[in-house]
């Protein structure tokens, strides 16, 4: 079966946009491929997080992804820093990667602009660490967003260059698997487009009923349909898009008809939407809480994940050492 690897950046809680994007895609992929998912905690060091936050965010990610349906029996989930093999390969890959090409990566340039006082070497070599995450398992498919294209290009370059230097056909060139193409784009509640953490327009999976209601009731609307059967402006279409993923088809149809005959009352629509979002989120939220409360279980799941990942990583690394010319002397 084809190998799939994906890293999860520890950046806060999952929202509905993540759920219907990356997470749904992971859940589907775990049935079709040999998947490995990991929490990219080494990558997060480029911004110098507090020690307690690292542990905390790993637990949060584990709880949320497991609650959404990642099945660690099908798709091991591990913490990157539990798999030291990744670092050895990172070192080898760095030896074949040039300063100039790393400096040209736009995410590096952006980060350097965002944190001018902390343009560290880890930031520069972020793409080779990511390449190592992927190549350590000799993965062929990587589910990532469009923003990762340049990093993926670097990963392919690392694979190709290693193969060329040593005259081997060892690393496959990993391909991005863009899920955004067939995923539902979940809009934000502020009418500005996509749901995104930085936009502060999200409904988080962990939000309680009251928070959900408050957020939905505050969603941006307009002054109502001006004529029967008129097209919906974006802010209204956004509410319907959300409704289509959480509500029953009859509910959507009901409000669609109300829109078309100009009798729609946004207060009613939002009330219904809030209820349906809550009904959708409640069981996931309960699972998140249950997973988060049992840190022993989380640790056991991560440990099992790391064992499986290390097995796969070790197999690659043994061969890489041979190819490079390191033979076991101890
Ligand atoms: N760079 C990815 C992101 O920002 C996270 C990541 C790190 C990753 N290593 C990876 C993704 C390996 C896929 C494969 O989202």
């Amino acid at each position: 079966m084809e190998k799939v690897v994906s890293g999860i950046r520890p950046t806060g809680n999952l929202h509905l946009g993540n759920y219907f994007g990356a997470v749904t895609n992971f859940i589907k992929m775990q049935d079709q491929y040999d998947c490995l998912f990991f929490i990219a905690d080494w990558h997060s060091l480029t911004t110098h997080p507090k020690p307690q936050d690292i542990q905390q965010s790993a637990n949060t990610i584990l709880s949320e992804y497991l609650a959404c349906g990642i099945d660690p029996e099908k798709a091991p989930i591990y913490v990157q820093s539990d798999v030291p093999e990744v670092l050895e390969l990172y070192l080898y890959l760095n030896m074949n990667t040039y300063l100039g090409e790393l400096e040209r990566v736009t995410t590096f340039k952006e980060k350097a602009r965002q944190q001018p006082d902390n343009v560290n070497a880890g930031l520069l070599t972020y793409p080779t660490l990511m390449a190592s995450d992927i190549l350590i398992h000799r993965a062929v498919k990587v589910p990532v967003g469009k923003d990762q294209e340049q990093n993926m290009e670097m990963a392919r370059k690392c694979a190709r260059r290693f193969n060329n230097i040593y005259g081997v056909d060892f690393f496959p060139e990993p391909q991005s698997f863009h899920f955004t193409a067939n995923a539902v784009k979940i809009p934000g509640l502020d009418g500005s487009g996509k749901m995104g953490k930085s936009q502060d327009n999200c409904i988080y999976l962990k939000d309680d009923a009251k928070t959900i209601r408050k957020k939905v009731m505050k969603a941006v609307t307009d002054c109502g349909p001006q004529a029967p059967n008129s097209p919906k402006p974006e802010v209204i279409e956004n509410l319907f898009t959300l409704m289509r993923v959480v509500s029953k088809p009859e509910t959507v149809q009901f409000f669609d008809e109300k829109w078309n005959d100009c009798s729609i009352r946004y207060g009613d629509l939002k009330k219904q939407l809030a209820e349906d979002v809550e009904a959708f989120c409640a069981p996931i939220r309960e699972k998140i809480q249950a997973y988060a409360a049992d840190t022993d279980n989380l640790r056991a799941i991560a440990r099992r994940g790391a064992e499986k990942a290390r097995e796969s990583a070790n197999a690659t690394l043994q061969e890489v050492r041979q190819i490079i010319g390191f033979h076991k002397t101890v």
Side-chain angles (χ1 to χ4, degrees), residues 258-273:
K258 294 256 167 210
W259 166 269
N260 282 331
D261 67 14
C262 301
S263 67
I264 195 160
R265 292 196 342 210
Y266 292 143
D268 295 345
L269 177 138
K270 287 179 173 180
K271 211 163 141 257
Q272 181 69 48
L273 182 59

Side-chain angles (χ1 to χ4, degrees), residues 97-321:
T97 309
Y98 298 100
L99 183 57
E101 59 195 357
L102 289 170
E103 281 173 336
R104 279 195 298 276
V105 175
T106 43
T107 40
F108 170 70
K109 289 194 276 191
E110 245 166 61
K111 283 276 175 192
R113 212 175 318 118
Q114 282 166 11
Q115 48 184 72
D117 300 329
N118 182 18
V119 187
N120 57 66
L123 209 52
L124 183 72
T125 56
Y126 186 109
T128 48
L129 181 54
M130 181 160 159
S132 179
D133 292 327
I134 300 164
L135 300 183
I136 196 74
H137 301 297
R138 298 212 268 165
V140 294
K141 277 204 168 69
V142 185
V144 281
K146 280 259 188 289
D147 61 329
Q148 296 299 305
E149 213 25 68
Q150 236 183 339
N151 287 336
M152 287 303 300
E153 192 46 61
M154 283 300 290
R156 285 189 284 273
K157 208 179 262 184
C158 285
R160 214 155 43 223
R161 202 168 282 161
F162 182 93
N163 291 346
N164 282 340
I165 290 175
Y166 296 103
V168 290
D169 184 16
F170 184 68
F171 286 121
E173 286 185 30
Q175 303 303 319
S176 327
F177 187 89
H178 292 304
F179 42 82
T180 32
N182 46 12
V184 188
K185 264 188 218 70
I186 301 299
L189 298 170
D190 52 0
S192 74
K194 223 173 124 181
M195 190 175 281
K197 202 170 75 84
S198 52
Q199 272 84 44
D200 197 25
N201 62 7
C202 301
I203 296 172
Y204 292 99
L205 296 179
K206 69 165 182 45
D207 282 347
D208 60 25
K210 210 171 130 209
T211 310
I212 290 174
R213 200 174 323 120
K214 226 166 80 195
K215 287 182 177 177
V216 174
M217 295 314 285
K218 266 180 35 193
V220 176
T221 50
D222 67 351
C223 52
Q226 301 304 307
N229 302 312
S230 47
K232 299 184 188 83
E234 192 183 352
V235 285
I236 304 305
E237 188 54 48
N238 283 352
L239 294 178
F240 275 88
T241 302
L242 255 184
M243 200 168 233
R244 276 193 288 273
V245 294
V246 295
S247 306
K248 293 200 194 85
E250 305 90 87
T251 308
V252 182
Q253 201 189 339
F254 174 83
F255 285 101
D256 221 18
E257 281 162 14
K258 294 256 167 210
W259 166 269
N260 282 331
D261 67 14
C262 301
S263 67
I264 195 160
R265 292 196 342 210
Y266 292 143
D268 295 345
L269 177 138
K270 287 179 173 180
K271 211 163 141 257
Q272 181 69 48
L273 182 59
E275 262 173 44
D276 293 346
V277 169
E278 162 60 11
F280 179 85
C281 289
I284 303 176
R285 179 173 68 227
E286 279 157 27
K287 282 187 207 154
I288 294 174
Q289 287 163 353
Y291 274 116
D294 190 352
T295 45
D296 285 348
N297 180 42
L298 288 183
R299 214 165 297 140
I301 290 171
R303 200 182 310 121
R304 288 242 329 122
E307 276 165 16
K308 290 186 189 166
R310 292 196 70 183
E311 209 176 292
S312 142
N314 235 307
T316 304
L317 204 48
Q318 293 308 326
E319 288 196 62
V320 166
R321 286 182 185 159

